[in-house]
Amino acid sequence: MVADYAESVGKQIKLHPRTKGEVAHYCNTCEIEVFNILFVLEQNHKFIVHCVDCARRTDAQLTAFVVLQQITFEELSQIFDSCQLNPHKQGVIC
């Protein structure tokens, strides 16, 4: 939904893969963790991350923001599809 919103206001989402050991990103305003779709503003030669809600409050059309995606939706789908909950553990009868 976040990616759809960004595209609906005309923002191109740029792929920016995570680097090994890269720390999690948090919104500069509300400090919530921002996963995968980052709304970035450049301020004083630093790149400041915002969540979608704070980015919308700052600029509803996101004109000042660059939108980055760290993991493709295909990769996320593969990760989700390959997840198994205790695949080798047998049920326990009490």
Side-chain angles (χ1 to χ4, degrees):
M1 290 186 323
V2 173
D4 289 341
Y5 170 70
E7 290 173 345
S8 76
V9 295
K11 295 304 291 186
Q12 178 184 1
I13 299 174
K14 299 178 183 180
L15 189 60
H16 186 270
R18 289 182 60 88
T19 58
K20 186 174 181 170
E22 184 175 348
V23 298
H25 295 280
Y26 293 88
C27 178
N28 187 61
T29 306
C30 70
E31 298 181 359
I32 192 170
E33 185 174 354
V34 181
F35 175 74
N36 197 32
I37 306 292
L38 310 175
F39 294 85
V40 181
L41 273 179
E42 184 176 359
Q43 295 175 342
N44 300 323
H45 304 290
K46 292 182 181 180
F47 296 99
I48 309 299
V49 174
H50 291 76
C51 67
V52 64
D53 292 327
C54 292
R56 286 178 52 201
R57 279 189 219 110
T58 302
D59 178 2
Q61 296 301 308
L62 306 175
T63 53
F65 287 89
V66 174
V67 183
L68 304 176
Q69 182 174 7
Q70 294 192 304
I71 307 168
T72 66
F73 292 124
E74 292 79 20
E75 288 177 279
L76 288 173
S77 292
Q78 289 173 358
I79 293 167
F80 180 80
D81 291 344
S82 67
C83 283
Q84 295 181 11
L85 183 60
N86 297 320
H88 303 292
K89 191 172 185 178
Q90 297 294 323
V92 177
I93 299 174
C94 296

